[in-house]
Amino acid sequence: MFESSPISYWRKQKEIFCLQGLKCITCSKIYFPKNYLCKCGSDNFEPIILSGMGKLLSFTKINLPPAEFSNMSPYIIGLIELAEGPVIISQLADIDDIKDLKIGMTVKAVFRKYYSIGKEKIINYGLKFELI
Ligand SMILES: [Zn+2]
């Protein structure tokens, strides 16, 4: 979950920090990030806080990251299927060697520093995933 604007970051803090998605009231499909029209055709949703648990579907090492993440390079990102169904891409925390990872491993969301921006060095925090 990458947000470059502090205002956008502030507005989406519940989504970013709490893994708040939407659940279709008609068919129960869960969306994260939010989607405003379900595959069933309904636009009737309720907010849902996701568990933060997931399964690692794939992963890769990033050697040339966007400028904001250059101080973390290299780092590892994973394709994660959340326990409630949505699939997201997120940075994996506390992994020193990609050889320690296997597809299907269980991961959970953790709160970590992303990067700092501007001359004031405002620190942005968000969720990453770690092995359990
Ligand atoms: Zn639906």
PDB file of all heavy atoms in Angstrom, residues 23-31 37-45, ligand 1:
ATOM      1  N   LYS A  23     -17.159  -5.691   2.169  1.00  0.00           N
ATOM      2  CA  LYS A  23     -17.831  -6.971   1.950  1.00  0.00           C
ATOM      3  C   LYS A  23     -19.143  -6.710   1.234  1.00  0.00           C
ATOM      4  O   LYS A  23     -19.955  -5.888   1.686  1.00  0.00           O
ATOM      5  CB  LYS A  23     -18.092  -7.653   3.297  1.00  0.00           C
ATOM      6  CG  LYS A  23     -18.792  -8.983   3.179  1.00  0.00           C
ATOM      7  CD  LYS A  23     -18.980  -9.595   4.557  1.00  0.00           C
ATOM      8  CE  LYS A  23     -19.694 -10.919   4.473  1.00  0.00           C
ATOM      9  NZ  LYS A  23     -19.911 -11.485   5.819  1.00  0.00           N
ATOM     10  N   CYS A  24     -19.345  -7.418   0.119  1.00  0.00           N
ATOM     11  CA  CYS A  24     -20.606  -7.291  -0.622  1.00  0.00           C
ATOM     12  C   CYS A  24     -21.730  -7.901   0.223  1.00  0.00           C
ATOM     13  O   CYS A  24     -21.637  -9.060   0.647  1.00  0.00           O
ATOM     14  CB  CYS A  24     -20.500  -8.012  -1.971  1.00  0.00           C
ATOM     15  SG  CYS A  24     -22.049  -8.034  -2.888  1.00  0.00           S
ATOM     16  N   ILE A  25     -22.749  -7.127   0.469  1.00  0.00           N
ATOM     17  CA  ILE A  25     -23.865  -7.614   1.295  1.00  0.00           C
ATOM     18  C   ILE A  25     -24.690  -8.654   0.526  1.00  0.00           C
ATOM     19  O   ILE A  25     -25.259  -9.574   1.112  1.00  0.00           O
ATOM     20  CB  ILE A  25     -24.736  -6.420   1.752  1.00  0.00           C
ATOM     21  CG1 ILE A  25     -23.916  -5.557   2.723  1.00  0.00           C
ATOM     22  CG2 ILE A  25     -26.029  -6.899   2.412  1.00  0.00           C
ATOM     23  CD1 ILE A  25     -24.580  -4.268   3.129  1.00  0.00           C
ATOM     24  N   THR A  26     -24.689  -8.581  -0.795  1.00  0.00           N
ATOM     25  CA  THR A  26     -25.474  -9.509  -1.615  1.00  0.00           C
ATOM     26  C   THR A  26     -24.831 -10.893  -1.695  1.00  0.00           C
ATOM     27  O   THR A  26     -25.493 -11.908  -1.483  1.00  0.00           O
ATOM     28  CB  THR A  26     -25.642  -8.933  -3.038  1.00  0.00           C
ATOM     29  OG1 THR A  26     -26.211  -7.636  -2.936  1.00  0.00           O
ATOM     30  CG2 THR A  26     -26.522  -9.828  -3.892  1.00  0.00           C
ATOM     31  N   CYS A  27     -23.509 -10.961  -2.000  1.00  0.00           N
ATOM     32  CA  CYS A  27     -22.889 -12.278  -2.239  1.00  0.00           C
ATOM     33  C   CYS A  27     -21.729 -12.594  -1.275  1.00  0.00           C
ATOM     34  O   CYS A  27     -21.114 -13.648  -1.368  1.00  0.00           O
ATOM     35  CB  CYS A  27     -22.399 -12.378  -3.679  1.00  0.00           C
ATOM     36  SG  CYS A  27     -20.921 -11.417  -4.023  1.00  0.00           S
ATOM     37  N   SER A  28     -21.391 -11.675  -0.378  1.00  0.00           N
ATOM     38  CA  SER A  28     -20.359 -11.862   0.653  1.00  0.00           C
ATOM     39  C   SER A  28     -18.921 -11.814   0.137  1.00  0.00           C
ATOM     40  O   SER A  28     -17.992 -12.092   0.892  1.00  0.00           O
ATOM     41  CB  SER A  28     -20.561 -13.162   1.443  1.00  0.00           C
ATOM     42  OG  SER A  28     -21.808 -13.131   2.087  1.00  0.00           O
ATOM     43  N   LYS A  29     -18.699 -11.499  -1.151  1.00  0.00           N
ATOM     44  CA  LYS A  29     -17.331 -11.380  -1.647  1.00  0.00           C
ATOM     45  C   LYS A  29     -16.667 -10.189  -0.961  1.00  0.00           C
ATOM     46  O   LYS A  29     -17.267  -9.146  -0.760  1.00  0.00           O
ATOM     47  CB  LYS A  29     -17.313 -11.200  -3.166  1.00  0.00           C
ATOM     48  CG  LYS A  29     -15.900 -11.134  -3.732  1.00  0.00           C
ATOM     49  CD  LYS A  29     -15.885 -11.280  -5.236  1.00  0.00           C
ATOM     50  CE  LYS A  29     -14.490 -11.142  -5.828  1.00  0.00           C
ATOM     51  NZ  LYS A  29     -13.539 -12.128  -5.345  1.00  0.00           N
ATOM     52  N   ILE A  30     -15.378 -10.380  -0.607  1.00  0.00           N
ATOM     53  CA  ILE A  30     -14.640  -9.349   0.118  1.00  0.00           C
ATOM     54  C   ILE A  30     -13.616  -8.712  -0.809  1.00  0.00           C
ATOM     55  O   ILE A  30     -12.916  -9.419  -1.552  1.00  0.00           O
ATOM     56  CB  ILE A  30     -13.978  -9.947   1.366  1.00  0.00           C
ATOM     57  CG1 ILE A  30     -15.076 -10.399   2.328  1.00  0.00           C
ATOM     58  CG2 ILE A  30     -13.030  -8.956   2.017  1.00  0.00           C
ATOM     59  CD1 ILE A  30     -14.595 -11.176   3.520  1.00  0.00           C
ATOM     60  N   TYR A  31     -13.523  -7.396  -0.741  1.00  0.00           N
ATOM     61  CA  TYR A  31     -12.597  -6.632  -1.581  1.00  0.00           C
ATOM     62  C   TYR A  31     -11.595  -5.880  -0.723  1.00  0.00           C
ATOM     63  O   TYR A  31     -11.948  -5.240   0.265  1.00  0.00           O
ATOM     64  CB  TYR A  31     -13.368  -5.624  -2.442  1.00  0.00           C
ATOM     65  CG  TYR A  31     -14.182  -6.283  -3.517  1.00  0.00           C
ATOM     66  CD1 TYR A  31     -15.508  -6.654  -3.281  1.00  0.00           C
ATOM     67  CD2 TYR A  31     -13.633  -6.554  -4.750  1.00  0.00           C
ATOM     68  CE1 TYR A  31     -16.256  -7.271  -4.260  1.00  0.00           C
ATOM     69  CE2 TYR A  31     -14.372  -7.175  -5.744  1.00  0.00           C
ATOM     70  CZ  TYR A  31     -15.686  -7.530  -5.496  1.00  0.00           C
ATOM     71  OH  TYR A  31     -16.416  -8.134  -6.473  1.00  0.00           O
ATOM     72  N   LEU A  37     -18.027  -1.696  -7.000  1.00  0.00           N
ATOM     73  CA  LEU A  37     -19.015  -2.461  -7.751  1.00  0.00           C
ATOM     74  C   LEU A  37     -18.563  -3.918  -7.733  1.00  0.00           C
ATOM     75  O   LEU A  37     -17.488  -4.257  -8.194  1.00  0.00           O
ATOM     76  CB  LEU A  37     -19.131  -1.963  -9.207  1.00  0.00           C
ATOM     77  CG  LEU A  37     -20.190  -2.669 -10.054  1.00  0.00           C
ATOM     78  CD1 LEU A  37     -21.594  -2.456  -9.459  1.00  0.00           C
ATOM     79  CD2 LEU A  37     -20.146  -2.176 -11.489  1.00  0.00           C
ATOM     80  N   CYS A  38     -19.403  -4.784  -7.155  1.00  0.00           N
ATOM     81  CA  CYS A  38     -19.057  -6.199  -7.030  1.00  0.00           C
ATOM     82  C   CYS A  38     -19.222  -6.922  -8.368  1.00  0.00           C
ATOM     83  O   CYS A  38     -19.988  -6.499  -9.237  1.00  0.00           O
ATOM     84  CB  CYS A  38     -19.952  -6.837  -5.970  1.00  0.00           C
ATOM     85  SG  CYS A  38     -19.544  -8.569  -5.653  1.00  0.00           S
ATOM     86  N   LYS A  39     -18.558  -8.052  -8.503  1.00  0.00           N
ATOM     87  CA  LYS A  39     -18.694  -8.877  -9.708  1.00  0.00           C
ATOM     88  C   LYS A  39     -20.129  -9.363  -9.884  1.00  0.00           C
ATOM     89  O   LYS A  39     -20.555  -9.691 -10.986  1.00  0.00           O
ATOM     90  CB  LYS A  39     -17.746 -10.071  -9.645  1.00  0.00           C
ATOM     91  CG  LYS A  39     -16.299  -9.670  -9.826  1.00  0.00           C
ATOM     92  CD  LYS A  39     -15.372 -10.871  -9.757  1.00  0.00           C
ATOM     93  CE  LYS A  39     -13.948 -10.418  -9.999  1.00  0.00           C
ATOM     94  NZ  LYS A  39     -12.980 -11.510  -9.848  1.00  0.00           N
ATOM     95  N   CYS A  40     -20.898  -9.431  -8.782  1.00  0.00           N
ATOM     96  CA  CYS A  40     -22.295  -9.871  -8.862  1.00  0.00           C
ATOM     97  C   CYS A  40     -23.212  -8.743  -9.332  1.00  0.00           C
ATOM     98  O   CYS A  40     -24.400  -8.963  -9.537  1.00  0.00           O
ATOM     99  CB  CYS A  40     -22.771 -10.425  -7.516  1.00  0.00           C
ATOM    100  SG  CYS A  40     -23.139  -9.174  -6.269  1.00  0.00           S
ATOM    101  N   GLY A  41     -22.652  -7.532  -9.474  1.00  0.00           N
ATOM    102  CA  GLY A  41     -23.444  -6.396  -9.944  1.00  0.00           C
ATOM    103  C   GLY A  41     -23.931  -5.493  -8.832  1.00  0.00           C
ATOM    104  O   GLY A  41     -24.469  -4.417  -9.088  1.00  0.00           O
ATOM    105  N   SER A  42     -23.742  -5.900  -7.585  1.00  0.00           N
ATOM    106  CA  SER A  42     -24.222  -5.111  -6.461  1.00  0.00           C
ATOM    107  C   SER A  42     -23.246  -3.977  -6.132  1.00  0.00           C
ATOM    108  O   SER A  42     -22.039  -4.118  -6.298  1.00  0.00           O
ATOM    109  CB  SER A  42     -24.367  -6.019  -5.230  1.00  0.00           C
ATOM    110  OG  SER A  42     -24.663  -5.241  -4.090  1.00  0.00           O
ATOM    111  N   ASP A  43     -23.798  -2.872  -5.649  1.00  0.00           N
ATOM    112  CA  ASP A  43     -22.950  -1.806  -5.121  1.00  0.00           C
ATOM    113  C   ASP A  43     -23.263  -1.586  -3.634  1.00  0.00           C
ATOM    114  O   ASP A  43     -23.032  -0.530  -3.084  1.00  0.00           O
ATOM    115  CB  ASP A  43     -23.115  -0.514  -5.914  1.00  0.00           C
ATOM    116  CG  ASP A  43     -24.534   0.031  -5.864  1.00  0.00           C
ATOM    117  OD1 ASP A  43     -25.424  -0.637  -5.280  1.00  0.00           O
ATOM    118  OD2 ASP A  43     -24.763   1.128  -6.394  1.00  0.00           O
ATOM    119  N   ASN A  44     -23.772  -2.642  -3.005  1.00  0.00           N
ATOM    120  CA  ASN A  44     -24.178  -2.582  -1.606  1.00  0.00           C
ATOM    121  C   ASN A  44     -23.113  -3.276  -0.741  1.00  0.00           C
ATOM    122  O   ASN A  44     -23.054  -4.505  -0.689  1.00  0.00           O
ATOM    123  CB  ASN A  44     -25.544  -3.280  -1.456  1.00  0.00           C
ATOM    124  CG  ASN A  44     -26.251  -2.889  -0.197  1.00  0.00           C
ATOM    125  OD1 ASN A  44     -25.803  -2.007   0.536  1.00  0.00           O
ATOM    126  ND2 ASN A  44     -27.361  -3.554   0.078  1.00  0.00           N
ATOM    127  N   PHE A  45     -22.265  -2.486  -0.096  1.00  0.00           N
ATOM    128  CA  PHE A  45     -21.137  -3.017   0.668  1.00  0.00           C
ATOM    129  C   PHE A  45     -21.210  -2.584   2.125  1.00  0.00           C
ATOM    130  O   PHE A  45     -21.843  -1.593   2.463  1.00  0.00           O
ATOM    131  CB  PHE A  45     -19.813  -2.489   0.095  1.00  0.00           C
ATOM    132  CG  PHE A  45     -19.477  -3.019  -1.264  1.00  0.00           C
ATOM    133  CD1 PHE A  45     -19.798  -2.289  -2.397  1.00  0.00           C
ATOM    134  CD2 PHE A  45     -18.827  -4.237  -1.415  1.00  0.00           C
ATOM    135  CE1 PHE A  45     -19.479  -2.766  -3.661  1.00  0.00           C
ATOM    136  CE2 PHE A  45     -18.503  -4.713  -2.671  1.00  0.00           C
ATOM    137  CZ  PHE A  45     -18.830  -3.975  -3.790  1.00  0.00           C
TER     138      PHE A  45
HETATM  139 ZN    ZN B   1     -21.457  -9.325  -4.668  1.00  0.00          ZN
END
